[in-house]
């Protein structure tokens, strides 16, 4: 697994409440190489989004670990993990997660500013132009359509040129035609930047476009389905 950009190693996740313990993920183990695209698929409640959050270091496993470019992310404290994520990982959410008090340009500039980039405005402007929003730089999210908001979210994720892009149902709240355009844009940007793309999707046609499909059933990877 030494050549892998992402290495998920025997990851377990369980939560306990007054009704007992629920196992969400059970011994998840796989690796992805740089530039590879992978779709995590499975029924609702199978643990797909939890797995994506653990890969991002946003959630912690009960057991096992995740390595990003060889670094055990759970050997880091929360601040160091956040810093690594800021440098290496982009995240696209189904619900866009844009800051409503910032313009499209300011939303895309934010991760660059947090990283101390002096060219934040120029780089964000260029990326918004790349996703077809050069006329919407000063618009706030509330006046943007769902497709436009998702384009802003994509620009924000790709502007840092992440090694890994994680996307959780990126077309889930969009109509079919808009969703198709968003996915085309995501794959185009992925190829241009050489990013490793991991996405959670219910859409079989989207999953079929990826190099690999990782099927989760009842918290486990189904081995024979881990293939394109």
């Amino acid at each position: 697994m030494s050549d892998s950009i992402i290495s998920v190693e025997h990851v377990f996740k369980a939560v306990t409440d007054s009704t007992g313990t629920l196992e969400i993920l059970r011994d998840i183990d796989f690796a992805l190489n740089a530039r590879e695209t992978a779709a995590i698929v499975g029924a609702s409640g199978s643990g797909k989004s939890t797995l994506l959050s653990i890969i991002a270091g946003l959630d912690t496993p009960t057991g096992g670990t995740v390595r990003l470019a060889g670094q055990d992310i759970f050997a880091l404290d929360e601040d160091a993990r956040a810093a690594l994520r800021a440098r290496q990982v982009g995240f696209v959410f189904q619900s866009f997660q844009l800051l409503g008090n910032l313009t499209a340009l300011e939303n895309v500039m934010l991760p660059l500013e947090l990283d101390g980039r002096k060219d934040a405005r120029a780089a964000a402007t260029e990326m918004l132009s790349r996703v077809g929003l050069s006329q919407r730089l000063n618009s706030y999210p509330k006046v943007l359509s769902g497709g436009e908001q998702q384009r802003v979210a994509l620009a924000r994720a790709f502007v840092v040129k992440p090694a890994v892009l994680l996307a959780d149902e990126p077309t889930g709240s969009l109509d079919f035609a808009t969703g198709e355009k968003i996915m085309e844009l995501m794959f185009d940007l992925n190829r241009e930047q050489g990013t490793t793309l991991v996405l959670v999707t219910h859409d079989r046609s989207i999953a079929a476009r990826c190099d690999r499909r990782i099927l989760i059933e009842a918290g486990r990877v189904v081995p024979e389905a881990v293939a394109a």
Side-chain angles (χ1 to χ4, degrees), residues 75-159:
L76 303 173
D77 64 27
E78 226 170 288
D79 289 343
R81 197 156 61 237
L84 177 67
R85 188 164 53 242
R87 293 192 307 273
Q88 300 271 14
V89 180
F91 211 117
V92 178
F93 301 87
Q94 178 179 342
S95 56
F96 317 135
Q97 298 285 351
L98 301 178
L99 296 176
N101 62 325
L102 300 182
T103 65
L105 180 59
E106 290 166 342
N107 265 284
V108 179
M109 286 172 62
L110 186 59
L112 298 173
E113 290 178 325
L114 291 174
D115 196 36
R117 289 269 296 271
K118 302 297 186 186
D119 64 338
R121 180 173 292 274
T125 300
E126 183 181 343
M127 184 54 70
L128 281 165
S129 176
R130 175 65 185 83
V131 301
L133 291 177
S134 57
Q135 305 304 312
R136 304 292 257 160
L137 300 182
N138 297 314
S139 298
Y140 289 90
K142 66 181 179 182
V143 301
L144 298 175
S145 69
E148 287 173 329
Q149 289 185 60
Q150 192 61 298
R151 285 170 182 263
V152 175
L154 277 180
R156 181 182 59 188
F158 275 106
V159 76

Side-chain angles (χ1 to χ4, degrees), residues 11-14 54 59-66 74:
V11 163
F12 291 78
K13 178 67 177 181
I54 288 173
D59 195 358
T60 54
T62 309
T65 196
V66 173
F74 297 110

